[in-house]
Amino acid sequence: QWVGGARVLELELDRPEWLDLRFEECDLSGVLARDFAMRRVQFRATRLRGVAFTNGQYDDGLLLDCKTDELSMRFSRLRNVTFRGCDLSNADFYSATFEHVTMESCSLRGARFHSADVKCLRIKDCDMLGIAGALDLKGAVIDFSDLPSLAPSLAGEAGIELVD
């Protein structure tokens, strides 16, 4: 199913199951999906504001050129999911499990990864300045060129004081 240009506002879902959906140029705001299951769901050029997919499972997904504000995927398992060209600033991945997940050309500024379970996570060409839970990304594969934006968070969490 393809959904284009739709606005979904203030929706609370308990145990939703989404299968084979594609959202393109949509605006999702104030959507809460608890205990969700998503499989083969794509978000393209879609805005996700105040959206929380919590305590669920997202398989075989794609977020392409999306903008988020207060996106939460707390306590969720992401498997075979790609984030490409997305603004994931301040996203919350607390206690999320990453299995074959790729984050490419994204802004991860201020994103939270506390208690993440990294099975297979690839981060490439991303801005990671100010992320929280940097040490919980143990096991992730990160491009060397991304290290400068990650270094302050790693140093801070390791108890190292940085000075100019």
Side-chain angles (χ1 to χ4, degrees), residues 125-126 142-149:
D125 297 325
C126 292
I142 299 173
D143 274 15
F144 185 78
S145 62
D146 293 341
L147 187 57
S149 68

Side-chain angles (χ1 to χ4, degrees), residues 15 21 28 40 50 54 59 68 82 86 96 103 134 155:
R15 298 180 184 262
L21 289 173
L28 280 66
R40 294 185 304 272
T54 60
D59 293 321
T68 70
T82 298
C86 295
M103 295 179 172

Side-chain angles (χ1 to χ4, degrees), residues 122-141:
R122 174 79 165 97
I123 299 175
K124 179 180 181 181
D125 297 325
C126 292
D127 181 357
M128 294 182 281
L129 194 63
I131 70 167
L135 294 176
D136 292 313
L137 289 174
K138 182 179 179 179
V141 175

Side-chain angles (χ1 to χ4, degrees), residues 57-127:
Q57 185 170 317
Y58 185 19
D59 293 321
D60 306 316
L62 172 68
L63 280 89
L64 178 66
D65 298 327
C66 293
K67 290 187 180 273
T68 70
D69 184 18
E70 297 181 36
L71 173 68
S72 176
M73 299 194 110
R74 296 171 66 92
F75 303 105
S76 295
R77 190 180 113 214
L78 288 74
R79 187 175 63 178
N80 299 321
V81 176
T82 298
F83 298 86
R84 185 174 296 124
C86 295
D87 183 349
L88 300 168
S89 299
N90 301 307
D92 187 357
F93 295 102
Y94 179 82
S95 204
T97 300
F98 297 94
E99 298 179 26
H100 303 286
V101 173
T102 300
M103 295 179 172
E104 183 178 342
S105 302
C106 294
S107 174
L108 295 170
R109 284 179 168 252
R112 297 177 298 283
F113 291 93
H114 293 99
S115 301
D117 182 9
V118 176
K119 308 270 190 224
C120 183
L121 173 61
R122 174 79 165 97
I123 299 175
K124 179 180 181 181
D125 297 325
C126 292
D127 181 357

Side-chain angles (χ1 to χ4, degrees), residues 11 13 16-21 23 28 31 33 36-41 43 53:
L11 182 62
L13 304 167
E17 294 185 20
W18 294 359
L19 178 64
D20 295 320
L21 289 173
F23 294 89
L28 280 66
V31 175
F36 71 94
M38 292 194 300
R39 185 172 179 92
R40 294 185 304 272
V41 174
F43 298 91
F53 294 112

